[in-house]
mmCIF file of all heavy atoms in Angstrom:
data_model
loop_
_atom_site.group_PDB
_atom_site.id
_atom_site.type_symbol
_atom_site.label_atom_id
_atom_site.label_comp_id
_atom_site.label_asym_id
_atom_site.label_seq_id
_atom_site.Cartn_x
_atom_site.Cartn_y
_atom_site.Cartn_z
ATOM 1 N N GLU A 1 53.103 62.131 42.226
ATOM 2 C CA GLU A 1 52.137 62.882 42.933
ATOM 3 C C GLU A 1 52.910 63.907 43.848
ATOM 4 O O GLU A 1 54.074 63.569 44.184
ATOM 5 C CB GLU A 1 51.257 62.206 43.896
ATOM 6 C CG GLU A 1 50.145 61.415 43.226
ATOM 7 C CD GLU A 1 49.111 60.829 44.175
ATOM 8 O OE1 GLU A 1 49.553 60.672 45.374
ATOM 9 O OE2 GLU A 1 47.954 60.530 43.801
ATOM 10 N N LYS A 2 52.378 64.997 43.967
ATOM 11 C CA LYS A 2 52.906 66.056 44.896
ATOM 12 C C LYS A 2 51.883 66.357 45.932
ATOM 13 O O LYS A 2 50.726 66.656 45.694
ATOM 14 C CB LYS A 2 53.262 67.305 44.115
ATOM 15 C CG LYS A 2 53.803 68.517 44.960
ATOM 16 C CD LYS A 2 54.227 69.749 44.168
ATOM 17 C CE LYS A 2 54.938 70.766 44.989
ATOM 18 N NZ LYS A 2 55.154 72.013 44.220
ATOM 19 N N ARG A 3 52.251 66.189 47.193
ATOM 20 C CA ARG A 3 51.455 66.582 48.273
ATOM 21 C C ARG A 3 51.344 68.052 48.548
ATOM 22 O O ARG A 3 52.435 68.698 48.724
ATOM 23 C CB ARG A 3 51.991 65.864 49.612
ATOM 24 C CG ARG A 3 50.916 65.757 50.633
ATOM 25 C CD ARG A 3 49.800 64.881 50.250
ATOM 26 N NE ARG A 3 48.954 64.404 51.436
ATOM 27 C CZ ARG A 3 47.842 63.704 51.329
ATOM 28 N NH1 ARG A 3 47.401 63.398 50.120
ATOM 29 N NH2 ARG A 3 47.218 63.376 52.380
ATOM 30 N N VAL A 4 50.183 68.674 48.462
ATOM 31 C CA VAL A 4 50.010 70.065 48.721
ATOM 32 C C VAL A 4 49.103 70.267 49.899
ATOM 33 O O VAL A 4 48.224 69.528 50.203
ATOM 34 C CB VAL A 4 49.578 70.837 47.379
ATOM 35 C CG1 VAL A 4 50.558 70.604 46.394
ATOM 36 C CG2 VAL A 4 48.200 70.173 46.960
ATOM 37 N N TYR A 5 49.179 71.471 50.495
ATOM 38 C CA TYR A 5 48.476 71.892 51.685
ATOM 39 C C TYR A 5 47.826 73.141 51.367
ATOM 40 O O TYR A 5 48.639 74.192 51.533
ATOM 41 C CB TYR A 5 49.408 71.795 52.940
ATOM 42 C CG TYR A 5 49.989 70.504 53.191
ATOM 43 C CD1 TYR A 5 51.102 70.028 52.510
ATOM 44 C CD2 TYR A 5 49.415 69.529 54.029
ATOM 45 C CE1 TYR A 5 51.584 68.866 52.714
ATOM 46 C CE2 TYR A 5 50.047 68.347 54.309
ATOM 47 C CZ TYR A 5 51.153 67.980 53.650
ATOM 48 O OH TYR A 5 51.690 66.735 53.864
ATOM 49 N N PRO A 6 46.646 73.220 50.924
ATOM 50 C CA PRO A 6 46.015 74.623 50.382
ATOM 51 C C PRO A 6 46.159 75.668 51.437
ATOM 52 O O PRO A 6 46.044 76.759 50.947
ATOM 53 C CB PRO A 6 44.607 74.127 50.097
ATOM 54 C CG PRO A 6 44.577 72.632 49.904
ATOM 55 C CD PRO A 6 45.799 72.126 50.843
ATOM 56 N N MET A 7 46.084 75.330 52.722
ATOM 57 C CA MET A 7 45.994 76.492 53.789
ATOM 58 C C MET A 7 47.544 76.795 54.180
ATOM 59 O O MET A 7 47.599 77.503 55.210
ATOM 60 C CB MET A 7 45.170 76.048 54.909
ATOM 61 C CG MET A 7 43.708 75.805 54.514
ATOM 62 S SD MET A 7 42.705 75.690 55.840
ATOM 63 C CE MET A 7 41.037 75.336 55.162
ATOM 64 N N GLY A 8 48.519 76.316 53.518
ATOM 65 C CA GLY A 8 49.962 76.742 53.914
ATOM 66 C C GLY A 8 50.313 76.161 55.273
ATOM 67 O O GLY A 8 50.351 74.967 55.462
ATOM 68 N N GLU A 9 50.652 77.166 56.151
ATOM 69 C CA GLU A 9 51.308 76.787 57.543
ATOM 70 C C GLU A 9 50.125 76.399 58.484
ATOM 71 O O GLU A 9 50.369 76.027 59.621
ATOM 72 C CB GLU A 9 51.944 78.050 58.052
ATOM 73 C CG GLU A 9 53.125 78.448 57.244
ATOM 74 C CD GLU A 9 53.826 79.761 57.709
ATOM 75 O OE1 GLU A 9 53.216 80.253 58.651
ATOM 76 O OE2 GLU A 9 54.724 80.099 57.192
ATOM 77 N N PHE A 10 48.865 76.412 58.014
ATOM 78 C CA PHE A 10 47.667 76.063 58.838
ATOM 79 C C PHE A 10 47.884 74.701 59.439
ATOM 80 O O PHE A 10 47.828 73.764 58.663
ATOM 81 C CB PHE A 10 46.436 76.320 58.088
ATOM 82 C CG PHE A 10 45.110 76.319 58.688
ATOM 83 C CD1 PHE A 10 44.746 77.534 59.338
ATOM 84 C CD2 PHE A 10 44.392 75.168 58.830
ATOM 85 C CE1 PHE A 10 43.526 77.551 60.022
ATOM 86 C CE2 PHE A 10 43.203 75.336 59.573
ATOM 87 C CZ PHE A 10 42.804 76.537 60.079
ATOM 88 N N ALA A 11 47.940 74.666 60.755
ATOM 89 C CA ALA A 11 48.020 73.274 61.347
ATOM 90 C C ALA A 11 49.111 72.507 60.866
ATOM 91 O O ALA A 11 49.017 71.206 60.938
ATOM 92 C CB ALA A 11 46.656 72.553 61.506
ATOM 93 N N ALA A 12 50.185 72.996 60.489
ATOM 94 C CA ALA A 12 51.241 72.340 59.740
ATOM 95 C C ALA A 12 51.824 71.214 60.670
ATOM 96 O O ALA A 12 52.074 70.041 60.151
ATOM 97 C CB ALA A 12 52.396 73.341 59.373
ATOM 98 N N SER A 13 52.209 71.511 61.813
ATOM 99 C CA SER A 13 52.991 70.574 62.646
ATOM 100 C C SER A 13 52.011 69.205 63.041
ATOM 101 O O SER A 13 52.478 68.093 63.272
ATOM 102 C CB SER A 13 53.599 71.043 63.871
ATOM 103 O OG SER A 13 52.533 71.712 64.797
ATOM 104 N N ALA A 14 50.754 69.568 63.011
ATOM 105 C CA ALA A 14 49.800 68.433 63.354
ATOM 106 C C ALA A 14 49.635 67.564 62.018
ATOM 107 O O ALA A 14 49.586 66.303 62.134
ATOM 108 C CB ALA A 14 48.468 68.923 63.774
ATOM 109 N N LEU A 15 49.551 68.205 60.885
ATOM 110 C CA LEU A 15 49.486 67.362 59.686
ATOM 111 C C LEU A 15 50.715 66.673 59.427
ATOM 112 O O LEU A 15 50.518 65.473 58.874
ATOM 113 C CB LEU A 15 49.035 68.306 58.500
ATOM 114 C CG LEU A 15 47.786 69.080 58.596
ATOM 115 C CD1 LEU A 15 47.545 70.098 57.575
ATOM 116 C CD2 LEU A 15 46.605 68.078 58.526
ATOM 117 N N GLY A 16 51.854 67.202 59.465
ATOM 118 C CA GLY A 16 53.210 66.519 59.156
ATOM 119 C C GLY A 16 53.428 66.676 57.726
ATOM 120 O O GLY A 16 52.990 67.559 57.077
ATOM 121 N N ILE A 17 54.300 65.805 57.238
ATOM 122 C CA ILE A 17 54.822 65.917 55.838
ATOM 123 C C ILE A 17 54.806 64.573 55.052
ATOM 124 O O ILE A 17 54.832 63.505 55.788
ATOM 125 C CB ILE A 17 56.209 66.489 55.787
ATOM 126 C CG1 ILE A 17 57.206 65.615 56.568
ATOM 127 C CG2 ILE A 17 56.173 67.974 56.333
ATOM 128 C CD1 ILE A 17 58.564 66.072 56.425
ATOM 129 N N VAL A 18 54.925 64.599 53.781
ATOM 130 C CA VAL A 18 54.980 63.400 52.966
ATOM 131 C C VAL A 18 56.314 63.449 52.195
ATOM 132 O O VAL A 18 56.562 64.536 51.449
ATOM 133 C CB VAL A 18 53.874 63.304 52.090
ATOM 134 C CG1 VAL A 18 53.990 62.099 51.175
ATOM 135 C CG2 VAL A 18 52.552 63.013 52.856
ATOM 136 N N ASN A 19 57.093 62.408 52.151
ATOM 137 C CA ASN A 19 58.427 62.473 51.500
ATOM 138 C C ASN A 19 58.331 62.231 50.159
ATOM 139 O O ASN A 19 57.176 61.956 49.484
ATOM 140 C CB ASN A 19 59.453 61.531 52.173
ATOM 141 C CG ASN A 19 58.943 60.055 52.022
ATOM 142 O OD1 ASN A 19 58.171 59.671 51.191
ATOM 143 N ND2 ASN A 19 59.667 59.238 52.808
ATOM 144 N N ARG A 20 59.373 62.168 49.329
ATOM 145 C CA ARG A 20 59.267 62.073 47.852
ATOM 146 C C ARG A 20 58.745 60.712 47.460
ATOM 147 O O ARG A 20 58.291 60.533 46.294
ATOM 148 C CB ARG A 20 60.501 62.472 47.160
ATOM 149 C CG ARG A 20 60.875 63.900 47.200
ATOM 150 C CD ARG A 20 62.200 64.172 46.481
ATOM 151 N NE ARG A 20 62.391 65.681 46.350
ATOM 152 C CZ ARG A 20 63.566 66.187 45.897
ATOM 153 N NH1 ARG A 20 64.513 65.319 45.457
ATOM 154 N NH2 ARG A 20 63.794 67.448 45.827
ATOM 155 N N ASP A 21 58.899 59.810 48.304
ATOM 156 C CA ASP A 21 58.369 58.402 47.970
ATOM 157 C C ASP A 21 56.986 58.266 48.129
ATOM 158 O O ASP A 21 56.384 57.169 47.996
ATOM 159 C CB ASP A 21 59.229 57.396 48.765
ATOM 160 C CG ASP A 21 60.699 57.257 48.538
ATOM 161 O OD1 ASP A 21 60.996 57.503 47.314
ATOM 162 O OD2 ASP A 21 61.602 57.080 49.398
ATOM 163 N N GLY A 22 56.255 59.337 48.758
ATOM 164 C CA GLY A 22 54.851 59.257 48.944
ATOM 165 C C GLY A 22 54.402 58.794 50.286
ATOM 166 O O GLY A 22 53.223 58.613 50.424
ATOM 167 N N HIS A 23 55.453 58.692 51.071
ATOM 168 C CA HIS A 23 55.100 58.136 52.580
ATOM 169 C C HIS A 23 55.000 59.343 53.491
ATOM 170 O O HIS A 23 55.943 60.219 53.435
ATOM 171 C CB HIS A 23 55.998 57.083 52.919
ATOM 172 C CG HIS A 23 55.701 55.765 52.293
ATOM 173 N ND1 HIS A 23 54.668 54.997 52.558
ATOM 174 C CD2 HIS A 23 56.562 55.116 51.234
ATOM 175 C CE1 HIS A 23 54.740 53.905 51.738
ATOM 176 N NE2 HIS A 23 55.776 53.929 50.941
ATOM 177 N N GLY A 24 54.160 59.355 54.405
ATOM 178 C CA GLY A 24 54.064 60.253 55.585
ATOM 179 C C GLY A 24 55.306 60.071 56.568
ATOM 180 O O GLY A 24 55.566 58.786 56.905
ATOM 181 N N VAL A 25 55.963 60.955 56.920
ATOM 182 C CA VAL A 25 57.064 60.783 57.865
ATOM 183 C C VAL A 25 56.922 61.594 59.082
ATOM 184 O O VAL A 25 57.820 61.524 60.066
ATOM 185 C CB VAL A 25 58.376 61.162 57.270
ATOM 186 C CG1 VAL A 25 58.774 60.126 56.160
ATOM 187 C CG2 VAL A 25 58.410 62.571 56.581
ATOM 188 N N GLU A 26 55.950 62.439 59.296
ATOM 189 C CA GLU A 26 55.801 63.155 60.519
ATOM 190 C C GLU A 26 54.232 63.388 60.655
ATOM 191 O O GLU A 26 53.400 63.351 59.584
ATOM 192 C CB GLU A 26 56.375 64.513 60.465
ATOM 193 C CG GLU A 26 57.873 64.440 60.504
ATOM 194 C CD GLU A 26 58.559 65.892 60.444
ATOM 195 O OE1 GLU A 26 57.938 66.888 60.445
ATOM 196 O OE2 GLU A 26 59.763 65.833 60.155
ATOM 197 N N GLY A 27 53.667 63.544 61.925
ATOM 198 C CA GLY A 27 52.404 64.099 62.176
ATOM 199 C C GLY A 27 51.328 63.049 61.773
ATOM 200 O O GLY A 27 51.541 61.758 61.738
ATOM 201 N N VAL A 28 50.129 63.475 61.475
ATOM 202 C CA VAL A 28 49.056 62.624 60.988
ATOM 203 C C VAL A 28 49.433 61.914 59.750
ATOM 204 O O VAL A 28 48.999 60.674 59.582
ATOM 205 C CB VAL A 28 47.720 63.471 60.859
ATOM 206 C CG1 VAL A 28 46.624 62.607 60.177
ATOM 207 C CG2 VAL A 28 47.289 64.119 62.060
ATOM 208 N N GLU A 29 50.108 62.535 58.873
ATOM 209 C CA GLU A 29 50.452 61.867 57.586
ATOM 210 C C GLU A 29 51.343 60.583 57.887
ATOM 211 O O GLU A 29 51.168 59.576 57.147
ATOM 212 C CB GLU A 29 51.436 62.804 56.762
ATOM 213 C CG GLU A 29 50.650 64.051 56.207
ATOM 214 C CD GLU A 29 49.946 63.864 54.939
ATOM 215 O OE1 GLU A 29 49.489 62.592 54.637
ATOM 216 O OE2 GLU A 29 49.714 64.776 54.203
ATOM 217 N N SER A 30 52.222 60.512 59.020
ATOM 218 C CA SER A 30 52.887 59.478 59.262
ATOM 219 C C SER A 30 52.062 58.414 60.145
ATOM 220 O O SER A 30 52.197 57.165 59.741
ATOM 221 C CB SER A 30 54.064 59.850 60.197
ATOM 222 O OG SER A 30 54.821 58.830 60.704
ATOM 223 N N TYR A 31 51.384 58.907 60.970
ATOM 224 C CA TYR A 31 50.593 57.971 61.888
ATOM 225 C C TYR A 31 49.626 57.099 61.117
ATOM 226 O O TYR A 31 49.444 55.954 61.225
ATOM 227 C CB TYR A 31 49.866 58.718 63.034
ATOM 228 C CG TYR A 31 49.326 57.785 64.073
ATOM 229 C CD1 TYR A 31 50.126 57.624 65.366
ATOM 230 C CD2 TYR A 31 48.027 57.221 64.042
ATOM 231 C CE1 TYR A 31 49.702 56.805 66.353
ATOM 232 C CE2 TYR A 31 47.651 56.369 64.996
ATOM 233 C CZ TYR A 31 48.324 56.200 66.116
ATOM 234 O OH TYR A 31 47.840 55.484 67.231
ATOM 235 N N TYR A 32 48.956 57.693 60.059
ATOM 236 C CA TYR A 32 47.933 57.104 59.231
ATOM 237 C C TYR A 32 48.465 56.805 57.940
ATOM 238 O O TYR A 32 47.712 56.704 56.953
ATOM 239 C CB TYR A 32 46.700 57.926 59.145
ATOM 240 C CG TYR A 32 45.928 57.875 60.536
ATOM 241 C CD1 TYR A 32 46.144 58.920 61.465
ATOM 242 C CD2 TYR A 32 44.941 56.893 60.761
ATOM 243 C CE1 TYR A 32 45.379 59.025 62.637
ATOM 244 C CE2 TYR A 32 44.294 56.847 62.015
ATOM 245 C CZ TYR A 32 44.501 57.979 62.847
ATOM 246 O OH TYR A 32 43.823 57.791 64.001
ATOM 247 N N ASP A 33 49.766 56.667 57.793
ATOM 248 C CA ASP A 33 50.420 56.460 56.445
ATOM 249 C C ASP A 33 49.840 55.212 55.657
ATOM 250 O O ASP A 33 49.551 55.295 54.473
ATOM 251 C CB ASP A 33 51.799 56.438 56.549
ATOM 252 C CG ASP A 33 52.685 56.234 55.112
ATOM 253 O OD1 ASP A 33 52.446 57.165 54.330
ATOM 254 O OD2 ASP A 33 53.271 55.204 54.925
ATOM 255 N N LYS A 34 49.678 54.062 56.426
ATOM 256 C CA LYS A 34 49.253 52.863 55.730
ATOM 257 C C LYS A 34 47.941 53.106 55.205
ATOM 258 O O LYS A 34 47.370 52.497 54.225
ATOM 259 C CB LYS A 34 49.332 51.677 56.737
ATOM 260 C CG LYS A 34 50.667 51.173 57.047
ATOM 261 C CD LYS A 34 50.630 50.067 58.068
ATOM 262 C CE LYS A 34 52.109 49.599 58.357
ATOM 263 N NZ LYS A 34 51.991 48.499 59.205
ATOM 264 N N ILE A 35 47.003 53.780 55.857
ATOM 265 C CA ILE A 35 45.673 54.122 55.368
ATOM 266 C C ILE A 35 45.605 55.006 54.368
ATOM 267 O O ILE A 35 44.891 54.951 53.249
ATOM 268 C CB ILE A 35 44.767 54.603 56.610
ATOM 269 C CG1 ILE A 35 44.580 53.419 57.647
ATOM 270 C CG2 ILE A 35 43.508 55.291 56.267
ATOM 271 C CD1 ILE A 35 44.036 53.871 59.022
ATOM 272 N N LEU A 36 46.442 56.079 54.389
ATOM 273 C CA LEU A 36 46.442 57.092 53.415
ATOM 274 C C LEU A 36 47.185 56.719 52.010
ATOM 275 O O LEU A 36 46.788 57.072 51.088
ATOM 276 C CB LEU A 36 47.188 58.392 53.883
ATOM 277 C CG LEU A 36 46.382 59.102 55.001
ATOM 278 C CD1 LEU A 36 47.196 60.131 55.607
ATOM 279 C CD2 LEU A 36 45.183 59.914 54.334
ATOM 280 N N PHE A 37 48.205 55.862 52.226
ATOM 281 C CA PHE A 37 49.134 55.540 51.076
ATOM 282 C C PHE A 37 48.389 54.803 50.045
ATOM 283 O O PHE A 37 48.541 54.934 48.894
ATOM 284 C CB PHE A 37 50.357 54.724 51.587
ATOM 285 C CG PHE A 37 51.293 54.584 50.440
ATOM 286 C CD1 PHE A 37 52.034 55.621 49.936
ATOM 287 C CD2 PHE A 37 51.447 53.292 49.902
ATOM 288 C CE1 PHE A 37 53.025 55.288 48.970
ATOM 289 C CE2 PHE A 37 52.381 53.135 48.867
ATOM 290 C CZ PHE A 37 53.143 54.126 48.469
ATOM 291 N N GLY A 38 47.571 53.752 50.433
ATOM 292 C CA GLY A 38 46.951 52.977 49.461
ATOM 293 C C GLY A 38 47.657 51.699 49.071
ATOM 294 O O GLY A 38 48.769 51.335 49.783
ATOM 295 N N LYS A 39 47.361 51.002 48.112
ATOM 296 C CA LYS A 39 48.040 49.750 47.702
ATOM 297 C C LYS A 39 48.843 49.961 46.318
ATOM 298 O O LYS A 39 48.184 50.199 45.398
ATOM 299 C CB LYS A 39 47.057 48.613 47.573
ATOM 300 C CG LYS A 39 47.721 47.257 47.117
ATOM 301 C CD LYS A 39 46.666 46.215 46.925
ATOM 302 C CE LYS A 39 47.300 44.991 46.258
ATOM 303 N NZ LYS A 39 46.227 43.963 45.812
ATOM 304 N N PRO A 40 50.205 49.793 46.377
ATOM 305 C CA PRO A 40 50.914 50.077 45.164
ATOM 306 C C PRO A 40 50.454 48.888 44.065
ATOM 307 O O PRO A 40 50.091 47.783 44.367
ATOM 308 C CB PRO A 40 52.338 49.831 45.577
ATOM 309 C CG PRO A 40 52.270 49.983 47.006
ATOM 310 C CD PRO A 40 50.959 49.500 47.447
ATOM 311 N N GLY A 41 50.595 49.256 42.795
ATOM 312 C CA GLY A 41 50.385 48.357 41.797
ATOM 313 C C GLY A 41 51.763 47.904 41.160
ATOM 314 O O GLY A 41 52.794 48.328 41.585
ATOM 315 N N PHE A 42 51.605 47.099 40.121
ATOM 316 C CA PHE A 42 52.902 46.570 39.498
ATOM 317 C C PHE A 42 52.671 46.528 37.963
ATOM 318 O O PHE A 42 51.663 46.017 37.481
ATOM 319 C CB PHE A 42 53.228 45.186 40.104
ATOM 320 C CG PHE A 42 54.366 44.495 39.500
ATOM 321 C CD1 PHE A 42 55.682 44.986 39.724
ATOM 322 C CD2 PHE A 42 54.139 43.438 38.482
ATOM 323 C CE1 PHE A 42 56.708 44.252 39.050
ATOM 324 C CE2 PHE A 42 55.192 42.908 37.804
ATOM 325 C CZ PHE A 42 56.571 43.303 38.158
ATOM 326 N N GLN A 43 53.653 46.912 37.133
ATOM 327 C CA GLN A 43 53.609 46.645 35.740
ATOM 328 C C GLN A 43 54.982 46.129 35.212
ATOM 329 O O GLN A 43 56.076 46.664 35.645
ATOM 330 C CB GLN A 43 53.240 48.071 35.086
ATOM 331 C CG GLN A 43 53.172 47.967 33.634
ATOM 332 C CD GLN A 43 52.727 49.347 33.080
ATOM 333 O OE1 GLN A 43 52.883 50.446 33.701
ATOM 334 N NE2 GLN A 43 52.392 49.412 31.805
ATOM 335 N N SER A 44 54.801 45.098 34.462
ATOM 336 C CA SER A 44 55.963 44.545 33.741
ATOM 337 C C SER A 44 55.779 44.547 32.404
ATOM 338 O O SER A 44 54.737 43.922 31.823
ATOM 339 C CB SER A 44 56.262 43.071 34.290
ATOM 340 O OG SER A 44 57.362 42.520 33.576
ATOM 341 N N GLN A 45 56.660 45.160 31.538
ATOM 342 C CA GLN A 45 56.483 45.136 30.090
ATOM 343 C C GLN A 45 57.860 45.142 29.446
ATOM 344 O O GLN A 45 58.825 45.449 29.855
ATOM 345 C CB GLN A 45 55.649 46.413 29.632
ATOM 346 C CG GLN A 45 56.252 47.704 30.004
ATOM 347 C CD GLN A 45 55.428 48.871 29.526
ATOM 348 O OE1 GLN A 45 54.268 48.787 29.134
ATOM 349 N NE2 GLN A 45 56.059 50.055 29.355
#
């Protein structure tokens, strides 16, 4: 997944960022990361 922000710089520092692992590391994205991230799945084949 790629995290996109349709309004660009709009409220950027409040929203924060998501790293390549899909986890929030700043702002709201970080504070609510456990809620936003979801539950990972597992596949073995």
Side-chain angles (χ1 to χ4, degrees):
E1 281 189 341
K2 180 179 181 180
R3 198 64 164 174
V4 294
Y5 301 80
M7 297 190 187
E9 299 176 353
F10 194 82
S13 60
L15 293 172
I17 60 175
V18 173
N19 64 20
R20 285 183 176 176
D21 294 328
H23 286 287
V25 291
E26 292 175 9
V28 171
E29 294 275 27
S30 172
Y31 193 95
Y32 287 93
D33 185 60
K34 290 183 179 179
I35 289 169
L36 290 163
F37 185 74
K39 179 186 174 184
F42 175 80
Q43 182 177 11
S44 177
Q45 64 180 16

